[in-house]
Amino acid sequence: TLKHQFDFTHGGFGNAPKFFHPSAFDFLLNQYFFTKQSWIRSVIEKSLEAMGKGGIYDQLGGGFHRYSVDERWVVPHFEKMSYDNAALLAVYSRAFQVFEKPLYREIALGIIRWARESLVDSKNGGFYASQDADINAYDDGDYYTWTLREAESLLTKEEAQVLLPHFHIEAQGEMLHDPSRNVLYVVRESEILARELELKPQEVMKRIDSARQKLLAARRKRKTPFVDQTFYTNWNGMWIRAFLGAWRAFHDRELKDFALRTLDRFIQMGFHPGKGM
């Protein structure tokens, strides 16, 4: 069934609006581990790479938005849900262990970075519920999107030379409510840009990294979408599982410690003998 529902052009399952279906990738990772069927590997790799390079993933701050309004993973509904990111962290961590692709590690660490910055009670343990898509009723993801003029004003000529084509930042963007605003998604890889511009790949990567940091610093000065600080037991269970899996994959002891601190909090505050959580 998954094979028949797979989008061989863009990755993922089904058509627009397109959702992640992380449990399907969990299942396929298990199947591939035991059977080594090549088509399963193709489905997993094409999907995880398309999702990780798409606008559905926050290319600056890390973490995944709720779903893609198009089949190409470009324009998201910008809300970030706790359960999506917990499940996808588990998938990308396991995929890195199976395939050892640096991109999967990068995406997983990006989810962790966003969670640590926006979604956790760092003192007591626990993960919040979600982060809004918008600041108010009159914008549509403006916190996350950029005009060409905004990007150029922040970057050196050398940085703009690589970042604008890397993220497809142009005068005509993707947002219907404001066509000048661009969703950031990877169009040209650093290796391709290096060949086109006759630069060393390391130099291109250096420029992309410095440019991304400048855009992220500027974005942090914008009003931040509201975070719903509700604690849901089941979603926190997903995060505990995901952080422990990421600890095994990336050997960051702080992930294990925070997962267990969260578990202790829910046992203390949420467990009722004879009734459960």
Side-chain angles (χ1 to χ4, degrees):
T1 300
L2 289 175
K3 189 175 184 180
H4 287 299
Q5 293 179 349
F6 179 63
D7 181 344
F8 285 90
T9 303
H10 305 293
F13 303 100
N15 301 308
K18 187 172 280 185
F19 292 83
F20 300 112
H21 303 293
S23 58
F25 294 112
D26 258 342
F27 173 75
L28 291 174
L29 280 165
N30 277 332
Q31 291 298 303
Y32 178 76
F33 184 82
F34 289 109
T35 68
K36 297 298 186 290
Q37 291 176 272
S38 60
W39 74 267
I40 296 180
R41 177 169 186 158
S42 297
V43 166
I44 295 170
E45 290 184 327
K46 186 172 187 64
S47 300
L48 297 192
E49 289 178 24
M51 288 156 48
K53 294 176 182 178
I56 192 72
Y57 177 74
D58 182 351
Q59 298 293 335
L60 298 182
F64 281 93
H65 301 293
R66 191 170 188 183
Y67 62 86
S68 177
V69 301
D70 62 277
E71 69 278 2
R72 299 184 300 133
W73 303 109
V74 172
V75 180
H77 172 61
F78 289 93
E79 187 176 15
K80 290 181 177 179
M81 300 303 298
S82 188
Y83 58 83
D84 282 331
N85 282 280
L88 288 166
L89 173 57
V91 167
Y92 275 90
S93 299
R94 292 186 64 207
F96 175 73
Q97 290 177 298
V98 174
F99 301 121
E100 298 183 339
K101 287 201 167 188
L103 175 67
Y104 301 159
R105 180 180 186 273
E106 178 185 338
I107 299 301
L109 295 181
I111 297 173
I112 293 167
R113 184 174 67 251
W114 167 70
R116 282 170 164 167
E117 291 181 1
S118 303
L119 208 72
V120 303
D121 181 344
S122 57
K123 180 180 179 180
N124 302 304
F127 295 81
Y128 303 137
S130 64
Q131 186 170 26
D132 280 358
D134 312 307
I135 303 301
N136 54 52
Y138 303 102
D139 78 88
D140 183 10
D142 289 357
Y143 176 79
Y144 297 101
T145 58
W146 300 83
T147 67
L148 177 61
R149 180 176 295 181
E150 285 174 340
E152 288 180 328
S153 70
L154 295 167
L155 307 177
T156 66
K157 181 180 178 181
E158 291 76 17
E159 289 168 339
Q161 185 184 31
V162 298
L163 193 80
L164 299 184
H166 178 63
F167 280 144
H168 196 259
I169 302 175
E170 298 183 345
Q172 179 74 25
E174 293 80 23
M175 301 306 298
L176 292 176
H177 79 293
D178 183 352
S180 69
R181 303 201 69 81
N182 290 263
V183 178
L184 303 188
Y185 63 104
V186 177
V187 175
R188 279 187 170 83
E189 301 284 359
S190 57
E191 297 84 359
I192 296 173
L193 286 169
R195 289 197 297 269
E196 292 176 347
L197 300 172
E198 297 182 350
L199 295 169
K200 293 182 179 179
Q202 298 92 325
E203 175 62 24
V204 172
M205 288 295 298
K206 181 180 177 181
R207 293 186 192 182
I208 290 175
D209 184 60
S210 64
R212 288 175 63 176
Q213 292 305 314
K214 287 182 179 179
L215 262 61
L216 182 58
R219 195 179 81 174
R220 284 174 172 153
K221 296 178 182 178
R222 298 173 175 176
K223 187 175 180 180
T224 306
F226 173 78
V227 174
D228 177 359
Q229 296 189 352
T230 306
F231 291 109
Y232 290 103
T233 301
N234 54 337
W235 296 357
N236 272 267
M238 294 172 69
W239 276 111
I240 292 166
R241 170 185 180 244
F243 260 43
L244 290 173
W247 161 63
R248 288 195 297 269
F250 309 123
H251 313 294
D252 180 350
R253 179 59 184 264
E254 291 182 6
L255 295 171
K256 176 185 178 182
D257 292 343
F258 191 81
L260 296 181
R261 193 186 320 158
T262 299
L263 182 58
D264 288 341
R265 180 178 187 176
F266 274 80
I267 290 173
Q268 180 183 0
M269 300 182 67
F271 180 72
H272 300 275
K275 296 182 180 179
M277 298 294 287

PDB file of all heavy atoms in Angstrom, residues 192-222:
ATOM      1  N   ILE A 192      27.107  22.164  -6.412  1.00  0.00           N
ATOM      2  CA  ILE A 192      26.701  22.714  -7.713  1.00  0.00           C
ATOM      3  C   ILE A 192      27.090  24.174  -7.819  1.00  0.00           C
ATOM      4  O   ILE A 192      27.624  24.629  -8.841  1.00  0.00           O
ATOM      5  CB  ILE A 192      25.186  22.527  -7.911  1.00  0.00           C
ATOM      6  CG1 ILE A 192      24.839  21.041  -7.977  1.00  0.00           C
ATOM      7  CG2 ILE A 192      24.711  23.246  -9.176  1.00  0.00           C
ATOM      8  CD1 ILE A 192      23.358  20.757  -8.003  1.00  0.00           C
ATOM      9  N   LEU A 193      26.844  24.935  -6.756  1.00  0.00           N
ATOM     10  CA  LEU A 193      27.212  26.352  -6.757  1.00  0.00           C
ATOM     11  C   LEU A 193      28.718  26.533  -6.903  1.00  0.00           C
ATOM     12  O   LEU A 193      29.177  27.446  -7.590  1.00  0.00           O
ATOM     13  CB  LEU A 193      26.732  27.012  -5.467  1.00  0.00           C
ATOM     14  CG  LEU A 193      25.229  27.263  -5.359  1.00  0.00           C
ATOM     15  CD1 LEU A 193      24.865  27.672  -3.940  1.00  0.00           C
ATOM     16  CD2 LEU A 193      24.798  28.328  -6.351  1.00  0.00           C
ATOM     17  N   ALA A 194      29.480  25.652  -6.263  1.00  0.00           N
ATOM     18  CA  ALA A 194      30.939  25.741  -6.359  1.00  0.00           C
ATOM     19  C   ALA A 194      31.398  25.587  -7.805  1.00  0.00           C
ATOM     20  O   ALA A 194      32.272  26.330  -8.276  1.00  0.00           O
ATOM     21  CB  ALA A 194      31.589  24.686  -5.466  1.00  0.00           C
ATOM     22  N   ARG A 195      30.798  24.646  -8.536  1.00  0.00           N
ATOM     23  CA  ARG A 195      31.164  24.448  -9.937  1.00  0.00           C
ATOM     24  C   ARG A 195      30.732  25.642 -10.792  1.00  0.00           C
ATOM     25  O   ARG A 195      31.489  26.122 -11.636  1.00  0.00           O
ATOM     26  CB  ARG A 195      30.545  23.157 -10.474  1.00  0.00           C
ATOM     27  CG  ARG A 195      31.162  21.889  -9.912  1.00  0.00           C
ATOM     28  CD  ARG A 195      30.805  20.682 -10.752  1.00  0.00           C
ATOM     29  NE  ARG A 195      29.366  20.432 -10.768  1.00  0.00           N
ATOM     30  CZ  ARG A 195      28.742  19.648  -9.896  1.00  0.00           C
ATOM     31  NH1 ARG A 195      29.431  19.050  -8.933  1.00  0.00           N
ATOM     32  NH2 ARG A 195      27.439  19.449  -9.984  1.00  0.00           N
ATOM     33  N   GLU A 196      29.513  26.122 -10.548  1.00  0.00           N
ATOM     34  CA  GLU A 196      28.993  27.226 -11.347  1.00  0.00           C
ATOM     35  C   GLU A 196      29.777  28.514 -11.125  1.00  0.00           C
ATOM     36  O   GLU A 196      30.014  29.282 -12.071  1.00  0.00           O
ATOM     37  CB  GLU A 196      27.514  27.454 -11.024  1.00  0.00           C
ATOM     38  CG  GLU A 196      26.600  26.327 -11.471  1.00  0.00           C
ATOM     39  CD  GLU A 196      25.166  26.547 -11.051  1.00  0.00           C
ATOM     40  OE1 GLU A 196      24.911  27.435 -10.208  1.00  0.00           O
ATOM     41  OE2 GLU A 196      24.287  25.829 -11.560  1.00  0.00           O
ATOM     42  N   LEU A 197      30.190  28.770  -9.887  1.00  0.00           N
ATOM     43  CA  LEU A 197      30.877  30.013  -9.548  1.00  0.00           C
ATOM     44  C   LEU A 197      32.394  29.868  -9.559  1.00  0.00           C
ATOM     45  O   LEU A 197      33.107  30.844  -9.297  1.00  0.00           O
ATOM     46  CB  LEU A 197      30.416  30.495  -8.163  1.00  0.00           C
ATOM     47  CG  LEU A 197      28.916  30.783  -8.027  1.00  0.00           C
ATOM     48  CD1 LEU A 197      28.561  31.052  -6.574  1.00  0.00           C
ATOM     49  CD2 LEU A 197      28.531  31.959  -8.905  1.00  0.00           C
ATOM     50  N   GLU A 198      32.867  28.646  -9.836  1.00  0.00           N
ATOM     51  CA  GLU A 198      34.305  28.355  -9.862  1.00  0.00           C
ATOM     52  C   GLU A 198      34.956  28.706  -8.521  1.00  0.00           C
ATOM     53  O   GLU A 198      35.978  29.389  -8.453  1.00  0.00           O
ATOM     54  CB  GLU A 198      34.989  29.089 -11.019  1.00  0.00           C
ATOM     55  CG  GLU A 198      34.477  28.643 -12.390  1.00  0.00           C
ATOM     56  CD  GLU A 198      35.179  29.340 -13.535  1.00  0.00           C
ATOM     57  OE1 GLU A 198      35.936  30.304 -13.268  1.00  0.00           O
ATOM     58  OE2 GLU A 198      34.988  28.923 -14.687  1.00  0.00           O
ATOM     59  N   LEU A 199      34.309  28.233  -7.461  1.00  0.00           N
ATOM     60  CA  LEU A 199      34.811  28.422  -6.111  1.00  0.00           C
ATOM     61  C   LEU A 199      35.060  27.059  -5.469  1.00  0.00           C
ATOM     62  O   LEU A 199      34.526  26.047  -5.919  1.00  0.00           O
ATOM     63  CB  LEU A 199      33.799  29.189  -5.256  1.00  0.00           C
ATOM     64  CG  LEU A 199      33.492  30.634  -5.659  1.00  0.00           C
ATOM     65  CD1 LEU A 199      32.279  31.131  -4.877  1.00  0.00           C
ATOM     66  CD2 LEU A 199      34.696  31.529  -5.409  1.00  0.00           C
ATOM     67  N   LYS A 200      35.870  27.047  -4.425  1.00  0.00           N
ATOM     68  CA  LYS A 200      36.061  25.819  -3.676  1.00  0.00           C
ATOM     69  C   LYS A 200      34.802  25.515  -2.869  1.00  0.00           C
ATOM     70  O   LYS A 200      34.169  26.427  -2.326  1.00  0.00           O
ATOM     71  CB  LYS A 200      37.262  25.951  -2.731  1.00  0.00           C
ATOM     72  CG  LYS A 200      38.604  26.070  -3.448  1.00  0.00           C
ATOM     73  CD  LYS A 200      39.738  26.155  -2.442  1.00  0.00           C
ATOM     74  CE  LYS A 200      41.089  26.237  -3.155  1.00  0.00           C
ATOM     75  NZ  LYS A 200      42.219  26.334  -2.189  1.00  0.00           N
ATOM     76  N   PRO A 201      34.401  24.237  -2.783  1.00  0.00           N
ATOM     77  CA  PRO A 201      33.200  23.885  -2.011  1.00  0.00           C
ATOM     78  C   PRO A 201      33.241  24.394  -0.574  1.00  0.00           C
ATOM     79  O   PRO A 201      32.222  24.826  -0.029  1.00  0.00           O
ATOM     80  CB  PRO A 201      33.182  22.355  -2.064  1.00  0.00           C
ATOM     81  CG  PRO A 201      33.923  22.012  -3.316  1.00  0.00           C
ATOM     82  CD  PRO A 201      34.991  23.060  -3.452  1.00  0.00           C
ATOM     83  N   GLN A 202      34.442  24.372   0.042  1.00  0.00           N
ATOM     84  CA  GLN A 202      34.558  24.845   1.420  1.00  0.00           C
ATOM     85  C   GLN A 202      34.231  26.331   1.526  1.00  0.00           C
ATOM     86  O   GLN A 202      33.638  26.779   2.509  1.00  0.00           O
ATOM     87  CB  GLN A 202      35.974  24.587   1.959  1.00  0.00           C
ATOM     88  CG  GLN A 202      36.348  23.117   2.012  1.00  0.00           C
ATOM     89  CD  GLN A 202      37.055  22.674   0.741  1.00  0.00           C
ATOM     90  OE1 GLN A 202      36.748  23.141  -0.358  1.00  0.00           O
ATOM     91  NE2 GLN A 202      38.015  21.774   0.898  1.00  0.00           N
ATOM     92  N   GLU A 203      34.606  27.102   0.508  1.00  0.00           N
ATOM     93  CA  GLU A 203      34.324  28.534   0.515  1.00  0.00           C
ATOM     94  C   GLU A 203      32.830  28.794   0.372  1.00  0.00           C
ATOM     95  O   GLU A 203      32.269  29.676   1.032  1.00  0.00           O
ATOM     96  CB  GLU A 203      35.089  29.230  -0.615  1.00  0.00           C
ATOM     97  CG  GLU A 203      34.787  30.716  -0.780  1.00  0.00           C
ATOM     98  CD  GLU A 203      35.151  31.539   0.442  1.00  0.00           C
ATOM     99  OE1 GLU A 203      36.026  31.103   1.230  1.00  0.00           O
ATOM    100  OE2 GLU A 203      34.568  32.626   0.601  1.00  0.00           O
ATOM    101  N   VAL A 204      32.179  28.009  -0.482  1.00  0.00           N
ATOM    102  CA  VAL A 204      30.735  28.156  -0.650  1.00  0.00           C
ATOM    103  C   VAL A 204      30.015  27.821   0.654  1.00  0.00           C
ATOM    104  O   VAL A 204      29.109  28.553   1.091  1.00  0.00           O
ATOM    105  CB  VAL A 204      30.219  27.259  -1.796  1.00  0.00           C
ATOM    106  CG1 VAL A 204      28.687  27.262  -1.837  1.00  0.00           C
ATOM    107  CG2 VAL A 204      30.789  27.728  -3.119  1.00  0.00           C
ATOM    108  N   MET A 205      30.416  26.722   1.295  1.00  0.00           N
ATOM    109  CA  MET A 205      29.792  26.341   2.557  1.00  0.00           C
ATOM    110  C   MET A 205      30.011  27.413   3.627  1.00  0.00           C
ATOM    111  O   MET A 205      29.100  27.721   4.409  1.00  0.00           O
ATOM    112  CB  MET A 205      30.361  25.002   3.042  1.00  0.00           C
ATOM    113  CG  MET A 205      29.883  23.812   2.232  1.00  0.00           C
ATOM    114  SD  MET A 205      28.101  23.546   2.409  1.00  0.00           S
ATOM    115  CE  MET A 205      27.988  23.202   4.163  1.00  0.00           C
ATOM    116  N   LYS A 206      31.198  27.986   3.649  1.00  0.00           N
ATOM    117  CA  LYS A 206      31.505  29.040   4.631  1.00  0.00           C
ATOM    118  C   LYS A 206      30.595  30.245   4.425  1.00  0.00           C
ATOM    119  O   LYS A 206      30.060  30.816   5.380  1.00  0.00           O
ATOM    120  CB  LYS A 206      32.971  29.438   4.504  1.00  0.00           C
ATOM    121  CG  LYS A 206      33.415  30.508   5.488  1.00  0.00           C
ATOM    122  CD  LYS A 206      34.884  30.855   5.303  1.00  0.00           C
ATOM    123  CE  LYS A 206      35.313  31.971   6.237  1.00  0.00           C
ATOM    124  NZ  LYS A 206      36.751  32.335   6.031  1.00  0.00           N
ATOM    125  N   ARG A 207      30.396  30.638   3.169  1.00  0.00           N
ATOM    126  CA  ARG A 207      29.541  31.790   2.874  1.00  0.00           C
ATOM    127  C   ARG A 207      28.084  31.493   3.211  1.00  0.00           C
ATOM    128  O   ARG A 207      27.374  32.347   3.756  1.00  0.00           O
ATOM    129  CB  ARG A 207      29.656  32.172   1.392  1.00  0.00           C
ATOM    130  CG  ARG A 207      31.014  32.710   0.987  1.00  0.00           C
ATOM    131  CD  ARG A 207      30.964  33.180  -0.464  1.00  0.00           C
ATOM    132  NE  ARG A 207      32.289  33.458  -1.004  1.00  0.00           N
ATOM    133  CZ  ARG A 207      32.516  33.924  -2.234  1.00  0.00           C
ATOM    134  NH1 ARG A 207      31.476  34.135  -3.046  1.00  0.00           N
ATOM    135  NH2 ARG A 207      33.735  34.150  -2.656  1.00  0.00           N
ATOM    136  N   ILE A 208      27.621  30.292   2.876  1.00  0.00           N
ATOM    137  CA  ILE A 208      26.232  29.922   3.182  1.00  0.00           C
ATOM    138  C   ILE A 208      26.006  29.949   4.687  1.00  0.00           C
ATOM    139  O   ILE A 208      24.990  30.472   5.171  1.00  0.00           O
ATOM    140  CB  ILE A 208      25.895  28.537   2.599  1.00  0.00           C
ATOM    141  CG1 ILE A 208      25.816  28.601   1.066  1.00  0.00           C
ATOM    142  CG2 ILE A 208      24.579  28.005   3.177  1.00  0.00           C
ATOM    143  CD1 ILE A 208      25.609  27.255   0.404  1.00  0.00           C
ATOM    144  N   ASP A 209      26.940  29.396   5.443  1.00  0.00           N
ATOM    145  CA  ASP A 209      26.787  29.338   6.889  1.00  0.00           C
ATOM    146  C   ASP A 209      26.758  30.735   7.502  1.00  0.00           C
ATOM    147  O   ASP A 209      25.896  31.028   8.347  1.00  0.00           O
ATOM    148  CB  ASP A 209      27.928  28.517   7.498  1.00  0.00           C
ATOM    149  CG  ASP A 209      27.768  28.338   8.998  1.00  0.00           C
ATOM    150  OD1 ASP A 209      26.744  27.762   9.419  1.00  0.00           O
ATOM    151  OD2 ASP A 209      28.652  28.772   9.758  1.00  0.00           O
ATOM    152  N   SER A 210      27.661  31.606   7.082  1.00  0.00           N
ATOM    153  CA  SER A 210      27.678  32.959   7.642  1.00  0.00           C
ATOM    154  C   SER A 210      26.421  33.727   7.254  1.00  0.00           C
ATOM    155  O   SER A 210      25.865  34.486   8.060  1.00  0.00           O
ATOM    156  CB  SER A 210      28.935  33.711   7.184  1.00  0.00           C
ATOM    157  OG  SER A 210      28.945  33.901   5.786  1.00  0.00           O
ATOM    158  N   ALA A 211      25.932  33.515   6.028  1.00  0.00           N
ATOM    159  CA  ALA A 211      24.716  34.187   5.580  1.00  0.00           C
ATOM    160  C   ALA A 211      23.499  33.701   6.359  1.00  0.00           C
ATOM    161  O   ALA A 211      22.628  34.491   6.757  1.00  0.00           O
ATOM    162  CB  ALA A 211      24.518  33.966   4.085  1.00  0.00           C
ATOM    163  N   ARG A 212      23.423  32.416   6.589  1.00  0.00           N
ATOM    164  CA  ARG A 212      22.302  31.864   7.363  1.00  0.00           C
ATOM    165  C   ARG A 212      22.299  32.424   8.773  1.00  0.00           C
ATOM    166  O   ARG A 212      21.236  32.741   9.322  1.00  0.00           O
ATOM    167  CB  ARG A 212      22.390  30.334   7.408  1.00  0.00           C
ATOM    168  CG  ARG A 212      22.052  29.647   6.100  1.00  0.00           C
ATOM    169  CD  ARG A 212      22.276  28.156   6.156  1.00  0.00           C
ATOM    170  NE  ARG A 212      21.409  27.500   7.125  1.00  0.00           N
ATOM    171  CZ  ARG A 212      21.373  26.190   7.299  1.00  0.00           C
ATOM    172  NH1 ARG A 212      22.145  25.397   6.562  1.00  0.00           N
ATOM    173  NH2 ARG A 212      20.563  25.652   8.177  1.00  0.00           N
ATOM    174  N   GLN A 213      23.467  32.545   9.378  1.00  0.00           N
ATOM    175  CA  GLN A 213      23.541  33.081  10.735  1.00  0.00           C
ATOM    176  C   GLN A 213      23.070  34.525  10.785  1.00  0.00           C
ATOM    177  O   GLN A 213      22.412  34.948  11.751  1.00  0.00           O
ATOM    178  CB  GLN A 213      24.972  32.958  11.271  1.00  0.00           C
ATOM    179  CG  GLN A 213      25.438  31.526  11.512  1.00  0.00           C
ATOM    180  CD  GLN A 213      24.504  30.759  12.423  1.00  0.00           C
ATOM    181  OE1 GLN A 213      24.080  31.269  13.467  1.00  0.00           O
ATOM    182  NE2 GLN A 213      24.176  29.521  12.053  1.00  0.00           N
ATOM    183  N   LYS A 214      23.373  35.301   9.745  1.00  0.00           N
ATOM    184  CA  LYS A 214      22.928  36.697   9.701  1.00  0.00           C
ATOM    185  C   LYS A 214      21.408  36.785   9.568  1.00  0.00           C
ATOM    186  O   LYS A 214      20.764  37.602  10.234  1.00  0.00           O
ATOM    187  CB  LYS A 214      23.612  37.432   8.547  1.00  0.00           C
ATOM    188  CG  LYS A 214      25.076  37.740   8.785  1.00  0.00           C
ATOM    189  CD  LYS A 214      25.679  38.512   7.621  1.00  0.00           C
ATOM    190  CE  LYS A 214      27.143  38.847   7.883  1.00  0.00           C
ATOM    191  NZ  LYS A 214      27.752  39.588   6.735  1.00  0.00           N
ATOM    192  N   LEU A 215      20.832  35.947   8.707  1.00  0.00           N
ATOM    193  CA  LEU A 215      19.376  35.948   8.558  1.00  0.00           C
ATOM    194  C   LEU A 215      18.693  35.489   9.845  1.00  0.00           C
ATOM    195  O   LEU A 215      17.666  36.049  10.250  1.00  0.00           O
ATOM    196  CB  LEU A 215      18.960  35.049   7.386  1.00  0.00           C
ATOM    197  CG  LEU A 215      18.682  35.751   6.056  1.00  0.00           C
ATOM    198  CD1 LEU A 215      19.907  36.483   5.548  1.00  0.00           C
ATOM    199  CD2 LEU A 215      18.202  34.747   5.005  1.00  0.00           C
ATOM    200  N   LEU A 216      19.273  34.487  10.497  1.00  0.00           N
ATOM    201  CA  LEU A 216      18.679  33.986  11.734  1.00  0.00           C
ATOM    202  C   LEU A 216      18.735  35.052  12.827  1.00  0.00           C
ATOM    203  O   LEU A 216      17.761  35.248  13.568  1.00  0.00           O
ATOM    204  CB  LEU A 216      19.407  32.724  12.186  1.00  0.00           C
ATOM    205  CG  LEU A 216      18.872  32.056  13.460  1.00  0.00           C
ATOM    206  CD1 LEU A 216      17.411  31.669  13.312  1.00  0.00           C
ATOM    207  CD2 LEU A 216      19.721  30.829  13.806  1.00  0.00           C
ATOM    208  N   ALA A 217      19.867  35.742  12.917  1.00  0.00           N
ATOM    209  CA  ALA A 217      19.992  36.811  13.922  1.00  0.00           C
ATOM    210  C   ALA A 217      18.979  37.914  13.665  1.00  0.00           C
ATOM    211  O   ALA A 217      18.364  38.445  14.610  1.00  0.00           O
ATOM    212  CB  ALA A 217      21.412  37.370  13.901  1.00  0.00           C
ATOM    213  N   ALA A 218      18.775  38.272  12.402  1.00  0.00           N
ATOM    214  CA  ALA A 218      17.788  39.298  12.062  1.00  0.00           C
ATOM    215  C   ALA A 218      16.372  38.807  12.357  1.00  0.00           C
ATOM    216  O   ALA A 218      15.523  39.575  12.830  1.00  0.00           O
ATOM    217  CB  ALA A 218      17.926  39.683  10.588  1.00  0.00           C
ATOM    218  N   ARG A 219      16.109  37.531  12.095  1.00  0.00           N
ATOM    219  CA  ARG A 219      14.771  36.983  12.340  1.00  0.00           C
ATOM    220  C   ARG A 219      14.439  36.982  13.818  1.00  0.00           C
ATOM    221  O   ARG A 219      13.285  37.179  14.218  1.00  0.00           O
ATOM    222  CB  ARG A 219      14.674  35.564  11.767  1.00  0.00           C
ATOM    223  CG  ARG A 219      13.248  35.056  11.642  1.00  0.00           C
ATOM    224  CD  ARG A 219      13.194  33.663  11.060  1.00  0.00           C
ATOM    225  NE  ARG A 219      13.451  32.630  12.048  1.00  0.00           N
ATOM    226  CZ  ARG A 219      13.353  31.331  11.802  1.00  0.00           C
ATOM    227  NH1 ARG A 219      13.041  30.903  10.589  1.00  0.00           N
ATOM    228  NH2 ARG A 219      13.588  30.443  12.750  1.00  0.00           N
ATOM    229  N   ARG A 220      15.423  36.760  14.659  1.00  0.00           N
ATOM    230  CA  ARG A 220      15.187  36.733  16.098  1.00  0.00           C
ATOM    231  C   ARG A 220      14.758  38.093  16.647  1.00  0.00           C
ATOM    232  O   ARG A 220      14.248  38.177  17.765  1.00  0.00           O
ATOM    233  CB  ARG A 220      16.437  36.225  16.818  1.00  0.00           C
ATOM    234  CG  ARG A 220      16.617  34.710  16.699  1.00  0.00           C
ATOM    235  CD  ARG A 220      17.918  34.241  17.290  1.00  0.00           C
ATOM    236  NE  ARG A 220      17.993  32.775  17.329  1.00  0.00           N
ATOM    237  CZ  ARG A 220      19.131  32.094  17.307  1.00  0.00           C
ATOM    238  NH1 ARG A 220      20.300  32.723  17.234  1.00  0.00           N
ATOM    239  NH2 ARG A 220      19.113  30.768  17.345  1.00  0.00           N
ATOM    240  N   LYS A 221      14.997  39.141  15.882  1.00  0.00           N
ATOM    241  CA  LYS A 221      14.557  40.474  16.294  1.00  0.00           C
ATOM    242  C   LYS A 221      13.091  40.722  15.938  1.00  0.00           C
ATOM    243  O   LYS A 221      12.493  41.701  16.381  1.00  0.00           O
ATOM    244  CB  LYS A 221      15.444  41.534  15.644  1.00  0.00           C
ATOM    245  CG  LYS A 221      16.891  41.470  16.097  1.00  0.00           C
ATOM    246  CD  LYS A 221      17.743  42.508  15.383  1.00  0.00           C
ATOM    247  CE  LYS A 221      19.211  42.411  15.813  1.00  0.00           C
ATOM    248  NZ  LYS A 221      20.060  43.389  15.084  1.00  0.00           N
ATOM    249  N   ARG A 222      12.503  39.858  15.102  1.00  0.00           N
ATOM    250  CA  ARG A 222      11.093  39.961  14.780  1.00  0.00           C
ATOM    251  C   ARG A 222      10.261  39.432  15.953  1.00  0.00           C
ATOM    252  O   ARG A 222      10.750  38.679  16.789  1.00  0.00           O
ATOM    253  CB  ARG A 222      10.758  39.133  13.525  1.00  0.00           C
ATOM    254  CG  ARG A 222      11.484  39.579  12.265  1.00  0.00           C
ATOM    255  CD  ARG A 222      11.226  38.607  11.120  1.00  0.00           C
ATOM    256  NE  ARG A 222      11.830  39.079   9.871  1.00  0.00           N
ATOM    257  CZ  ARG A 222      11.829  38.379   8.732  1.00  0.00           C
ATOM    258  NH1 ARG A 222      11.238  37.194   8.678  1.00  0.00           N
ATOM    259  NH2 ARG A 222      12.400  38.873   7.645  1.00  0.00           N
TER     260      ARG A 222
END
